[in-house]
Amino acid sequence: MNKTNTRAMVETAFVSTIVAMLTIIGAVMPFSAFLATMVAPAGISIIGIRWGSRYSCTSSIVAFMLVTLFLGPLIAMSTILVYSLPSIFLGEAFRANWSFRKLILVPAAVLLGMGLLQLVVANSFASVDFITLGQNVNNELKEAMIESIRQQSAPQEQIDTMIQQLNYSFAQAERMMLSLWFCACSIITYIMAKLVSYIGRRTNTVHRELPPMATWRMPIWGAGVLAIGIIIIYGLSYIGYDNSLLKDIGMNVAFVGAFICLVNGITCLMAVMKNYGVNGFFQFIILFFLYTMSPYGLVFYGIFDMFLDMRARFEKRSS
């Protein structure tokens, strides 16, 4: 065994212990789940960047055994097992210098696959029905929101309308759960990538910085995906063919396209506000207000930027 292998094994063991400790803390302490789902997997990615995927796999196995020893296999499966494989892919993405789009989408798809695998394994071998559990939590949340609406001092017609809209929103979210889950996995992967980039620069491991959000440009086919989803949803009703499965597929496709256009609209506005000298805090306040009041407006603005290049137009005016 040469000196390099010894150093790699020592670092792998050290980082595996830290990953296990962060996972245990995140699983036990309230409001600290991000330690187990975002911070701890970043350590596995750092090992993969420094020494390769073989050592990151070894780190995942060691951390899984340690967490199983202290908290049991179910917690280890829902933390280390689910997030270790996306972390390995993320480390390989930094190591092989993948494109930014591939760096985010591939680990996000792997994270989605591991989440679905967790549901199957837990239901088959551990007799834990996460789907029923999620539905119960969803119903409790909806009932709590309905109760809070009923306690408001508003006309009964307005309360009934708000409750009807709430029930419709929850029903739509249940039908679009797969696309919602994938978009959430993409956001989690981006946060993990930011952590890996920051930790890597601090430890002199990674010298690659992720592009700022103001420079992001979503592909124009995102608007096409949105259009295809809308055509599937409303085209079936127009021709008189009612199929709930195809409608669900269309809703998921439309949501993915809308999410791409939404991200493009947000990043376009960030670029425009940056050209006019608006600082980061006020950018966040403005975007939060716009998303709260009119998320569809951001989607349409993202579509306009895809076809009309709104950034270049406002950049010319500001200059």
Side-chain angles (χ1 to χ4, degrees), residues 272-287:
V272 172
M273 288 187 288
K274 185 178 180 181
N275 290 332
Y276 282 92
V278 182
N279 61 28
F281 177 75
F282 286 105
Q283 288 184 21
F284 175 78
I285 295 298
I286 293 172
L287 289 173

Side-chain angles (χ1 to χ4, degrees), residues 48-171:
I49 296 171
R50 288 180 62 86
W51 304 109
S53 300
R54 181 178 63 177
Y55 289 96
S56 59
C57 293
T58 304
S59 177
S60 302
I61 295 173
V62 173
F64 180 82
M65 294 174 63
L66 291 174
V67 175
T68 302
L69 181 64
F70 286 96
L71 298 180
L74 186 61
I75 300 298
M77 181 182 65
S78 60
T79 53
I80 299 295
L81 186 61
V82 172
Y83 290 92
S84 60
L85 190 58
S87 302
I88 294 171
F89 274 87
L90 189 60
E92 184 62 28
F94 275 96
R95 185 180 177 88
N97 198 24
W98 291 358
S99 64
F100 177 67
R101 188 182 304 174
K102 185 178 178 182
L103 183 144
I104 298 298
L105 293 181
V106 172
V110 175
L111 180 57
L112 175 63
M114 293 302 296
L116 295 175
L117 179 63
Q118 179 195 7
L119 296 179
V120 174
V121 172
N123 189 28
S124 301
F125 299 98
S127 299
V128 178
D129 192 356
F130 281 105
I131 298 177
T132 303
L133 181 62
Q135 290 176 349
N136 293 334
V137 173
N138 187 26
N139 292 331
E140 291 178 1
L141 178 62
K142 183 170 68 174
E143 291 298 328
M145 295 178 67
I146 291 175
E147 186 64 26
S148 64
I149 292 175
R150 288 174 176 170
Q151 292 177 359
Q152 296 180 5
S153 56
Q156 186 63 36
E157 293 81 4
Q158 184 177 356
I159 293 177
D160 294 339
T161 303
M162 294 173 64
I163 293 176
Q164 183 179 2
Q165 182 64 34
L166 181 65
N167 290 327
Y168 178 77
S169 299
F170 271 85

